[in-house]
Amino acid sequence: DQQFVFQRRAHAPEARREQVPFVLSKLGLKEAAPFIIQFLRSTVTDVRANAVVALGELEYREAAEPFYAMLETEKETRIKVSICGALTRIKDGSGVEKLIAVMERESDTDLRLAAARTLQSLTKQRYGPDPSEWRKWWNTQRGVRPEDK
């Protein structure tokens, strides 16, 4: 019985840590966003997932760079899907190339659709989940970011 109590206490800090980004975003504390960024490096999947959602809800544009990096390194598909949603919310189109690359290399349908929705939202183009169409369009843009147009 005493061991059970110890195990619950040992896990309690991590369980609370998992909720910190969520709570801060629900309170609308935009000034907490730089603090929430550190949770993107957590080894705990749910902590990273909550941080992505929180930063998206706070529309923290400075999260775009780490989000685009995570699209290349993150192992969890659900987190990559959440990253696409967060990028849509913060309206950062600086990584169009990386979103197209996600569609080209990933086989998960949900992730490919999320990347396509993000591209559509950021660029106002409608090519659906076909990466070859997005690639053709992007090649004609010569790397001009959507927000620069």
Side-chain angles (χ1 to χ4, degrees):
D1 204 34
Q2 192 174 22
Q3 185 175 1
F4 174 73
V5 172
F6 174 76
Q7 287 176 338
R8 287 191 60 198
R9 285 189 181 151
H11 295 297
E14 194 60 54
R16 284 191 299 263
R17 186 177 315 141
E18 177 181 312
Q19 296 302 316
V20 169
F22 175 77
V23 170
L24 292 173
S25 71
K26 290 303 175 194
L27 292 172
L29 298 174
K30 288 192 179 220
E31 62 273 12
F35 172 72
I36 296 171
I37 285 273
Q38 72 180 334
F39 290 96
L40 295 175
R41 293 186 303 274
S42 174
T43 58
V44 179
T45 302
D46 288 341
V47 172
R48 291 192 314 279
N50 286 342
V52 167
V53 171
L55 291 164
E57 288 181 0
L58 292 172
E59 297 178 5
Y60 188 59
R61 286 188 61 92
E62 288 78 2
E65 186 177 329
F67 283 166
Y68 284 119
M70 286 176 74
L71 283 176
E72 295 177 5
T73 61
E74 177 60 50
K75 302 289 184 233
E76 295 290 328
T77 299
R78 71 181 175 103
I79 293 178
K80 290 191 251 186
V81 169
S82 292
I83 288 169
C84 290
L87 288 166
T88 300
R89 289 192 72 143
I90 64 175
K91 299 173 179 74
D92 183 278
S94 65
V96 168
E97 173 71 35
K98 291 182 181 180
L99 288 164
I100 295 169
V102 164
M103 291 173 48
E104 290 171 333
R105 78 171 171 265
E106 299 287 346
S107 60
D108 184 87
T109 303
D110 290 337
L111 179 52
R112 290 170 61 116
L113 288 171
R117 282 191 300 269
T118 300
L119 283 165
Q120 289 173 2
S121 175
L122 297 174
T123 66
K124 308 303 181 223
Q125 303 299 310
R126 304 277 180 235
Y127 297 111
D130 182 352
S132 64
E133 291 299 316
W134 283 105
R135 177 66 60 202
K136 280 191 260 182
W137 169 79
W138 185 241
N139 288 341
T140 67
Q141 300 304 301
R142 295 186 185 92
V144 176
R145 297 185 322 176
E147 62 266 19
D148 293 340
K149 288 190 161 201

